[in-house]
Amino acid sequence: MLHYIVQSQTYQKGTHYKDLDGDLSDFVGVWKWQNNDSIVTIKFEKWEDVYDSDYNQYEDYLVGAYKFTVNGSVIEDNLSQLNDNSIFILDHYIAGNTILHKGQYPKCENCAEHQRQVFVFFTDPEREYLNSAMVLRYKVEDGVEKMHVVFYPFENSFLPSIDSPNQNRIPYGDYTFIKQ
Amino acid sequence: MFSAMDAFALNKHNTAFNHDIVGTDESLSVYILVVATGTYAIKINDLDAIQTYHAQFPTKGKEKKEYKRLNRIYNSHYNPASGTTGDFDDYELDFANYIQSKGISLYKAENDLSGWKRLEFDADNPTEVKKTTCNEN
C-alpha cells in the first residue's frame, strides 16, 4: 500500500509515498474492454518516485492513456500521451495513486476483505471540465487477469455552458477489462 | 463533506454568473450539501482570497493535486480493520481547517434548515470547530 504519514492538516514535506506492497503494479499493462462495436483500450504504467517540488515529496503513480473506438471509428486516442513525461503527472488523462479499501466509496461488496482498490482521475480531453474517476479492482478468474472499473463522476463539476455535455464520450458505468 | 473541487467550482460559478455585475454580493453564490447529520453550506466571504487561492492551481491537474491533498486527510479517518470511516465532526474540523484564509466560510443547519451556525477552525482549540449562531453575527 502507499504508506502515508498524515498529521492533522499537515502534508509532510520530504515524505516518500511508496507503493511498498505493489498495489499499483497489478494494473500495469494493456487492458481491453469490448461490447458490441465499442472498444476501450487502456495502457497503464507505474511511474515511481515522481517528484513534487511544491511539497518536496516523492510518490509512486499509476499513469494511463486510452483509445476509444466505436464501429471502427476512433473517437479518442491519446495513447501517445503516455510517452510524454514533460506533462504534469495529474494532467495525464488517467493518473492517480489513492488506495481505497473495501468499505470506502464506491463500496465493493464482492471484494475480498483486505482487497485494495486504486482510485485514478480520468479526463476526456474534449470535456476537461468534468471531474471523473475510475476505481480499479484487480482479479484473476480462471487464469485470466481482469480489471473491474467503476467509472463515475467523483465531484461537483462546473459546466461551462448550459449546453455542455455532462457525460464523457465513454459513458459512466461498470466495465470489466481483460489483460492483453 | 465539501472538497477542494467544490471550492474551485464555487469560484468558477461566481466568476461566470456573478462577478461582472457591479455591486453584486459574491456571498450570493452558495453550495448546499445535504447529509444524514445535517445540511452544510459554503459561500465566498472574501473574493480576493478565493481568487488568489484558486490561481495557485492553473490546470486541471493542479486542481486534482489539491483535491488529493485534502482527500488524503479525509481518508486518514478510515479504519480498515473495522471498516469504519470518520464521523462528521472529523470532516467538519478538517474542512474548517482547510478553508482558513481561502475566502470561503462553512455553515451548518439542522435537518429542517433552522439553526444555521458558522463553523470555523479555532487555533486555540484545534480539536473542535468553533460554532457561531448566524443570527448573533
Side-chain angles (χ1 to χ4, degrees):
Chain A
M1 68 183 294
L2 290 163
H3 289 268
Y4 301 150
I5 302 169
V6 179
Q7 295 178 351
S8 183
Q9 290 270 19
T10 60
Y11 198 63
Q12 302 285 305
K13 290 186 183 290
T15 303
H16 195 154
Y17 296 107
K18 192 71 185 161
D19 181 24
L20 292 175
D21 295 335
D23 292 317
L24 306 182
S25 303
D26 288 339
F27 301 100
V28 172
V30 177
W31 300 85
K32 184 177 177 182
W33 169 89
Q34 181 165 8
N35 185 23
N36 298 323
D37 55 357
S38 298
I39 300 173
V40 178
T41 304
I42 298 179
K43 183 178 181 184
F44 276 120
E45 293 179 356
K46 180 177 167 179
W47 290 14
E48 297 188 53
D49 307 334
V50 177
Y51 182 61
D52 180 343
S53 58
D54 291 341
Y55 296 100
N56 185 28
Q57 293 177 334
Y58 293 87
E59 294 189 50
D60 293 350
Y61 274 95
L62 200 58
V63 183
Y66 62 94
K67 180 177 182 181
F68 177 41
T69 62
V70 177
N71 221 1
S73 298
V74 177
I75 306 299
E76 172 62 28
D77 182 358
N78 53 57
L79 289 170
S80 63
Q81 193 205 50
L82 202 50
N83 302 321
D84 187 350
N85 59 12
S86 70
I87 300 170
F88 174 63
I89 189 86
L90 291 175
D91 278 320
H92 281 266
Y93 295 136
I94 304 178
N97 61 7
T98 303
I99 302 299
L100 298 179
H101 296 271
K102 175 183 168 76
Q104 290 177 283
Y105 184 84
K107 288 189 176 181
C108 179
E109 302 298 341
N110 299 325
C111 287
E113 198 59 38
H114 299 294
Q115 183 176 344
R116 293 166 183 148
Q117 310 161 80
V118 178
F119 171 104
V120 292
F121 297 103
F122 174 95
T123 300
D124 181 334
E126 288 194 5
R127 296 167 194 184
E128 291 197 5
Y129 53 86
L130 294 174
N131 291 322
S132 307
M134 290 179 161
V135 168
L136 315 176
R137 298 165 180 162
Y138 176 79
K139 197 171 190 178
V140 179
E141 288 181 330
D142 300 326
V144 178
E145 289 183 272
K146 296 181 180 178
M147 176 176 71
H148 185 74
V149 173
V150 181
F151 184 36
Y152 67 107
F154 73 90
E155 280 293 339
N156 191 7
S157 294
F158 174 71
L159 274 55
S161 77
I162 196 166
D163 300 322
S164 303
N166 60 4
Q167 283 262 348
N168 297 291
R169 287 171 293 168
I170 300 175
Y172 292 128
D174 288 6
Y175 297 82
T176 299
F177 286 76
I178 306 296
K179 185 85 168 276
Q180 302 300 294
Chain B
M1 183 45 70
F2 292 106
S3 72
M5 290 303 190
D6 292 318
F8 299 140
L10 183 63
N11 186 42
K12 289 174 189 172
H13 265 118
N14 185 66
T15 301
F17 299 119
N18 211 7
H19 182 54
D20 290 336
I21 303 172
V22 175
T24 300
D25 181 358
E26 60 268 14
S27 68
L28 292 175
S29 299
V30 175
Y31 279 180
I32 303 282
L33 175 67
V34 180
V35 295
T37 55
T39 299
Y40 293 89
I42 51 173
K43 68 175 187 178
I44 298 171
N45 62 26
D46 183 335
L47 187 59
D48 288 340
I50 192 172
Q51 289 181 337
T52 300
Y53 167 63
H54 196 175
Q56 297 172 46
F57 310 100
T59 69
K60 193 74 181 175
K62 296 285 186 181
E63 288 185 351
K64 289 171 183 172
K65 183 174 124 177
E66 183 68 353
Y67 168 84
K68 216 158 80 72
R69 187 172 78 93
L70 178 58
N71 217 44
R72 180 172 282 166
I73 294 166
Y74 287 159
N75 283 341
S76 70
H77 298 298
Y78 184 76
N79 182 339
S82 62
T84 55
T85 61
D87 58 38
F88 260 83
D89 290 342
D90 297 321
Y91 301 126
E92 286 176 7
L93 188 63
D94 290 340
F95 191 73
N97 190 356
Y98 161 75
I99 60 176
Q100 285 188 97
S101 307
K102 293 184 174 68
I104 302 164
S105 43
L106 172 67
Y107 302 86
K108 185 179 183 184
E110 303 301 328
N111 285 332
D112 63 359
L113 296 182
S114 68
W116 282 97
K117 292 183 174 66
R118 181 172 178 179
L119 310 183
E120 294 175 272
F121 185 76
D122 181 359
D124 293 330
N125 185 17
T127 59
E128 201 172 310
V129 289
K130 177 183 169 187
K131 298 180 180 177
T132 307
T133 301
C134 290
N135 292 339
E136 292 175 358
N137 285 339

